[in-house]
Amino acid sequence: DIQMTQSPSTLSASVGDRVSITCRASQSISSWMAWYQQKPGKAPKLLIYKASNLESGVPSRFSGSGSGTEFTLTISSLQPDDFATYYCQQYNGYPYTFGQGTKLDIK
Amino acid sequence: QVQLQESGPGVVKPSESVSLTCTVSGGSVSVYYWSWLRQSPEKGLEWIGYIYKSVNTNYNPILESRVTISVDTSKNQFSLKLTSVTAADTAVYYCARGGGSWFDRWGQGTLVTVSS
């Protein structure tokens, strides 16, 4: 199975900050990467697909980059609604696998 | 707007089977990929398997011997059956649209607790 490793596990930041979350794959996954946001008690919500494509309705302050084994989710200017847990997911090969999550909380 | 809603028992005894149903509105289960996933503190988010065009299935190898996903097109539902459950199967179970790539629509999730 392809292992997905996110860093950091926890990130403390303030409203207005620019933050980045990294996800590393145990082998190359080309651009077959998605990012999700999850809030407590809710299902994950798709933010980014194919590494850098913004899902419809997702604010443009979210962006994704990378290819191969290293990927980044960036939030350009944190808003109060953005404090949540973020997950990466690879769909290069079955079984599809997720990172362990990065919890973004208020500093 | 596609919406998904899981239903099923909240508590299951060890060694028994659990069946969950996902009711889809705003879209047909006869098209697209439809998946089941689960989430627990111990294992995180885990893809269980998908069904595609009502008959094609693909399961996570770690669960394949115990999992069946099926579709009822007359009710626009798809279902998960997991056999021989143990405490390790305690999780929030989600149904989602996707499985060929990303997952773009999710149900709200249903907690399944394995306990005697």
Side-chain angles (χ1 to χ4, degrees):
Chain A
D1 296 3
I2 299 174
Q3 307 302 315
M4 307 300 291
T5 304
Q6 288 182 233
S7 60
S9 295
T10 305
L11 180 57
S12 296
S14 302
V15 172
D17 284 354
R18 178 185 178 91
V19 298
S20 293
I21 298 168
T22 297
C23 186
R24 289 186 173 85
S26 60
Q27 65 187 71
S28 177
I29 59 170
S30 185
S31 296
W32 309 126
M33 166 70 86
W35 289 95
Y36 301 84
Q37 176 194 68
Q38 186 177 34
K39 296 182 179 179
K42 301 293 187 182
K45 172 189 173 184
L46 178 67
L47 299 175
I48 301 281
Y49 60 92
K50 206 177 176 184
S52 61
N53 292 269
L54 199 65
E55 171 71 345
S56 176
V58 174
S60 59
R61 62 181 179 272
F62 290 91
S63 64
S65 62
S67 65
T69 62
E70 188 157 334
F71 300 83
T72 302
L73 173 70
T74 299
I75 309 173
S76 60
S77 179
L78 273 174
Q79 299 302 302
D81 191 49
D82 300 338
F83 293 97
T85 301
Y86 293 84
Y87 294 93
C88 59
Q89 176 232 330
Q90 67 80 20
Y91 51 96
N92 181 76
Y94 292 106
Y96 291 165
T97 48
F98 292 81
Q100 81 282 11
T102 295
K103 184 177 181 181
L104 177 56
D105 60 24
I106 300 174
K107 185 184 291 183
Chain B
Q1 178 79 339
V2 173
Q3 294 185 312
L4 299 88
Q5 174 79 51
E6 304 91 348
S7 59
V11 181
V12 186
K13 289 182 169 54
S15 79
E16 293 187 345
S17 298
V18 60
S19 291
L20 302 176
T21 297
C22 183
T23 301
V24 178
S25 57
S28 171
V29 295
S30 299
V31 296
Y32 294 110
Y33 290 78
W34 302 94
S35 285
W36 286 97
L37 304 96
R38 66 184 184 181
Q39 185 175 30
S40 65
E42 296 78 20
K43 298 179 187 175
L45 277 165
E46 191 173 36
W47 170 75
I48 298 171
Y50 72 65
I51 189 161
Y52 176 54
K53 289 190 175 180
S54 301
V55 294
N56 299 295
T57 55
N58 189 8
Y59 303 129
N60 191 324
I62 63 169
L63 296 167
E64 186 167 17
S65 62
R66 300 193 292 128
V67 169
T68 303
I69 297 176
S70 59
V71 158
D72 184 339
T73 55
S74 68
K75 296 181 179 178
N76 214 38
Q77 295 174 334
F78 65 104
S79 299
L80 168 72
K81 182 176 181 180
L82 182 65
T83 62
S84 304
V85 298
T86 69
D89 296 310
T90 294
V92 176
Y93 285 73
Y94 293 102
C95 59
R97 186 174 74 173
S101 55
W102 56 86
F103 305 98
D104 66 348
R105 297 288 187 272
W106 297 63
Q108 86 284 359
T110 187
L111 176 62
V112 174
T113 302
V114 180
S115 174
S116 55

